Amino acid sequence: MFKWTEQIAELERRRAESLQLGGADRIAHKHSKGQKTIRERIDLLTTSFSEIGGLARFPEFDASGNKVGSLPSSYVCGLGEVDGRPVAVGGEDFTVGAGAPQLYLDRMKGGLGGFVEDLAHEYRIPLMLFCEGVGGDVGGIDIHGHAYLVSSISWGRSIQLLSEVPVIVGILGAAAGGTAGRAVLSHFTVASKGSVMFAGGPPLVRRALGRDITKEELGAAEMHTSVSGGIDNLAEDEEDAIEQMKRFLSYMPQNVWEMPPEGPREDPIDRRDEDLLTIIPENRRRPYKMRKIIEMVCDKGSVFEIGPNWGRALITCLARVDGIPVGVLANNPMHLAGALDGPAAEKQVRFIDICRTFHLPIVYFVDVPGFMVGPDAERGNVVRKGMRAIQALYEAEVPVISVHVRKCYGMAAQATAIMDRLGMRVAWPSAEWGDMPVEGGVEAAFRREIEAAEDPEAFRAEAERRLLEASSPWKTAEAFGIEDIIDPRETREVVARFLRPAFASLRSRLGEPTPWRMRP
Amino acid sequence: MTIITAPVTGNVWKIEVSVGDQVNEEDELIILESMKMEIPVEAEVAGKVVKLLCSEGDSVSEGDPLVELEA
């Protein structure tokens, strides 16, 4: 006869065991490093969590390959609720086999495809992951009795999700190898200070390159968020990282078949910020704080910057205008005078791809002197990367409103507005544009005339004065070569009025952008 | 002690403070010339200028120390 009492007690016992993770010692060790366990992270992220696969176990082997016992499996996942929205949630448990891939199970729970990713795909809900693990592990040979060929495992589901639902990743602790790979196949990555990410850790570097290096020197979150761009944002600590994951989600739709959520319309669209009149210095050589312009034009408190510390010649933010979620791009005159260099171009491609995927209109604040020039820029392949930035905008299929704040020269201009579509461009009276900035351009265009002139310096100055006068935005407006010139204080209202119907038009363009798919 | 570093690679064009000066947050300390632009370097915190770590005309790289402040 079936014994209910015993069976329920057995279920309770097994559930309780799974909550113990890798044991009190390993949990204490994690806490001593200022880190949280995967269950604590999921508790912080979600208001409710329905776990799946909690009964799965991880077999422990000794060095001779004998099974000595078992622990809860190295992955925790399920259906969570975040700010009232259902999301698929998962993460490695680092206290079990350092978050080992679950090749010991019949079915992966997550970490590289698996149940949690199937859940996000099937229910069309966002995927929020904590990536912490060492990727592959020679221990796998013991489990299977043979070495598996890694290409037998597919990234297909993870790649497919990039064009279906928001994929949001927190890197808290160490993400190496396959775990690092999983982390970057996403729309947003945030890492807490002190976390690390790399293709291969210090032992591999020592064997391959004969170099001793700490894991922080190798792949600190601080480096990836400022130099490589492999991680978007840096967080003060784990709580901050989890807040940033939720913040990113707040601008995103549940999936590409739904509209992104509108925020409150509490900030009047006719709010005219007087500081916009004085923010551009009269001295054309003086930069200013572009981020202040973004703050003044967008809804108060709505600006969330993505990747603030890398590709710094370009600023990218999620924000709202009159409640409408938008992707904001802006050249940053404080860095390289705002010139589009390789990293800035890569940043533009990634950000615009996200806007396209999730149907966010784009607002572009333009102050760009051109593609970056010089030997470093050329060695960094600036031309190809710059052209990719142009192609990304061309392919964006979302409304783009460009606001010309100051300079706009050369090919980089074509990375800021696309005339194959509406090409909605407005300019402040401080705007200037052309093939290249007049000062350098005169030298290039009239070199022979300048050399032949009686007074070369006077000839150059006169040519510059004449060309500068002709490059006034008023003359371009007379020729309808710019769609309109506006008072800087009107920017918010003009952008908001055009955004409203632009945003509504996206309803008829919802769905997966096939066959195109963004690359991470 | 706060070290103010160069936000971009360029030349030190103007030093606008002297040792002993009291500065407020966001005060301009130095102007760098980079990409034909005059890039202001501001105090990240209020404090006293303790040491100047560069001279006008110096070439500096991103991250190089420029000014030492004592909060």
Side-chain angles (χ1 to χ4, degrees):
Chain A
M1 202 178 102
F2 191 79
K3 296 202 173 69
W4 270 111
T5 322
E6 278 174 35
Q7 293 302 323
I8 295 296
E10 175 70 9
L11 177 61
E12 295 302 328
R13 188 186 63 76
R14 285 175 178 264
R15 280 185 174 168
E17 263 183 13
S18 98
L19 296 181
Q20 290 162 11
L21 305 178
D25 288 354
R26 291 185 217 185
I27 292 174
H29 178 65
K30 197 146 185 58
H31 286 162
S32 74
K33 292 193 292 181
Q35 294 178 342
K36 298 182 190 305
T37 66
I38 180 60
R39 290 188 180 280
E40 290 164 344
R41 289 168 184 164
I42 291 174
D43 275 351
L44 269 175
L45 176 67
T46 61
T47 47
S48 79
F49 179 58
S50 309
E51 185 173 356
I52 292 297
L55 304 180
R57 305 287 294 176
F58 172 84
E60 281 199 297
F61 295 88
D62 63 18
S64 330
N66 305 308
K67 188 166 185 258
V68 292
S70 79
L71 290 170
S73 72
S74 50
Y75 203 86
V76 178
C77 69
L79 178 67
E81 193 175 283
V82 175
D83 292 331
R85 302 165 60 164
V87 298
V89 180
E92 287 84 4
D93 177 2
F94 205 75
T95 67
V96 177
Q102 307 110 67
L103 300 170
Y104 51 88
L105 298 175
D106 286 359
R107 180 182 186 182
M108 294 274 284
K109 291 169 82 176
L112 193 163
F115 178 86
V116 73
E117 298 193 25
D118 293 343
L119 178 65
H121 165 75
E122 189 79 12
Y123 288 5
R124 297 182 168 178
I125 54 177
L127 178 64
M128 299 182 85
L129 300 176
F130 295 105
C131 291
E132 185 187 21
V134 295
D137 171 9
V138 289
I141 296 176
D142 278 337
I143 293 165
H144 295 277
H146 63 273
Y148 65 86
L149 182 53
V150 176
S151 52
S152 298
I153 307 171
S154 170
W155 282 112
R157 175 69 82 215
S158 308
I159 291 167
Q160 186 179 24
L161 284 171
L162 284 175
S163 57
E164 294 180 342
V165 300
V167 180
I168 300 171
V169 169
I171 299 168
L172 310 174
T179 313
R182 181 65 199 88
V184 304
L185 279 178
S186 62
H187 302 105
F188 179 62
T189 44
V190 55
S192 57
K193 281 186 176 167
S195 293
V196 294
M197 178 176 93
F198 28 68
L204 284 178
V205 174
R206 196 173 308 122
R207 289 300 293 270
L209 304 172
R211 226 182 119 182
D212 275 311
I213 190 167
T214 66
K215 54 188 203 288
E216 288 76 19
E217 289 167 333
L218 182 61
E222 288 80 349
M223 183 281 289
H224 281 304
T225 50
S226 62
V227 179
S228 77
I231 300 173
D232 295 306
N233 283 25
L234 186 66
E236 279 303 315
D237 50 30
E238 296 202 6
E239 283 90 347
D240 180 25
I242 290 168
E243 277 310 309
Q244 292 197 41
M245 292 168 76
K246 288 157 86 167
R247 184 98 198 260
F248 185 89
L249 178 68
S250 74
Y251 301 89
M252 292 291 138
Q254 284 296 85
N255 54 56
V256 298
W257 295 271
E258 292 178 23
M259 289 290 280
E262 286 184 59
R265 300 175 70 179
E266 286 161 359
D267 195 356
I269 64 167
D270 56 2
R271 174 170 60 74
R272 292 160 67 96
D273 211 311
E274 292 297 321
D275 288 345
L276 288 169
L277 262 196
T278 50
I279 192 159
I280 306 291
E282 282 185 20
N283 177 353
R284 295 169 64 246
R285 285 164 51 85
R286 287 290 275 195
Y288 53 89
K289 291 182 177 164
M290 181 62 98
R291 289 181 176 87
K292 285 195 175 165
I293 295 181
I294 299 171
E295 294 279 350
M296 285 188 270
V297 172
C298 296
D299 291 354
K300 287 204 169 105
S302 76
V303 180
F304 178 48
E305 187 166 353
I306 308 297
N309 297 325
W310 74 281
R312 288 192 292 137
L314 187 78
I315 299 166
T316 55
C317 307
L318 295 169
R320 291 193 183 82
V321 178
D322 193 26
I324 296 169
V326 294
V328 176
L329 293 96
N331 309 112
N332 178 11
M334 289 283 189
H335 190 77
L336 306 177
L340 201 68
D341 63 345
E346 279 179 32
K347 189 172 171 180
Q348 166 153 338
V349 170
R350 173 165 164 78
F351 188 72
I352 288 180
D353 282 357
I354 289 167
C355 293
R356 176 187 181 189
T357 302
F358 296 111
H359 304 98
L360 298 169
I362 290 169
V363 180
Y364 206 134
F365 293 94
V366 182
D367 182 359
V368 64
F371 281 3
M372 185 63 191
V373 296
D376 290 346
E378 301 303 342
R379 292 166 71 95
N381 203 6
V382 65
V383 180
R384 174 170 287 158
K385 288 179 180 171
M387 293 311 291
R388 284 182 180 172
I390 291 173
Q391 186 180 348
L393 193 65
Y394 171 83
E395 291 176 340
E397 289 177 7
V398 292
V400 179
I401 299 176
S402 309
V403 180
H404 286 260
V405 170
R406 193 145 76 169
K407 293 174 198 165
C408 189
Y409 288 102
M411 281 193 293
Q414 291 155 320
T416 67
I418 293 297
M419 302 313 288
D420 298 79
R421 294 200 310 280
L422 183 60
M424 171 66 194
R425 301 168 298 183
V426 294
W428 292 6
S430 49
E432 49 173 290
W433 42 62
D435 282 336
M436 63 172 80
V438 166
E439 291 89 337
V442 165
E443 195 69 50
F446 301 113
R447 186 168 50 86
R448 250 176 292 159
E449 289 85 340
I450 291 172
E451 280 170 7
E454 224 167 88
D455 182 348
E457 212 32 62
F459 183 93
R460 190 207 333 261
E462 172 55 22
E464 278 186 17
R465 191 200 56 75
R466 179 166 48 83
L467 292 176
L468 265 178
E469 201 176 282
S471 70
S472 130
W474 303 113
K475 299 211 170 171
T476 313
E478 286 173 15
F480 198 44
I482 177 79
E483 283 59 39
D484 214 348
I485 296 183
I486 61 170
D487 182 324
R489 293 167 297 182
E490 296 168 344
T491 309
R492 176 172 164 81
E493 181 166 3
V494 170
V495 169
R497 291 216 185 276
F498 279 81
L499 267 181
R500 184 64 48 195
F503 186 63
S505 77
L506 288 168
R507 283 183 199 287
S508 58
R509 297 179 205 177
L510 292 176
E512 193 179 350
T514 49
W516 174 92
R517 185 169 279 161
M518 75 167 277
R519 288 164 216 274
Chain B
M1 199 72 69
T2 305
I3 304 284
I4 306 295
T5 58
V8 291
T9 297
N11 294 307
V12 178
W13 186 54
K14 256 187 201 161
I15 298 179
E16 303 199 298
V17 289
S18 313
V19 171
D21 284 2
Q22 195 67 34
V23 296
N24 293 317
E25 196 181 327
E26 291 200 20
D27 275 2
E28 257 178 45
L29 307 177
I30 288 196
I31 300 178
L32 298 178
E33 189 184 35
S34 174
M35 286 290 289
K36 296 184 282 181
M37 297 288 280
E38 299 163 11
I39 311 285
V41 182
E42 297 178 349
E44 288 154 21
V45 291
K48 198 167 88 173
V49 177
V50 182
K51 212 173 185 182
L52 292 174
L53 304 165
C54 61
S55 316
E56 287 181 3
D58 283 1
S59 302
V60 293
S61 298
E62 187 181 325
D64 282 357
L66 302 178
V67 179
E68 195 175 310
L69 293 180
E70 199 176 70

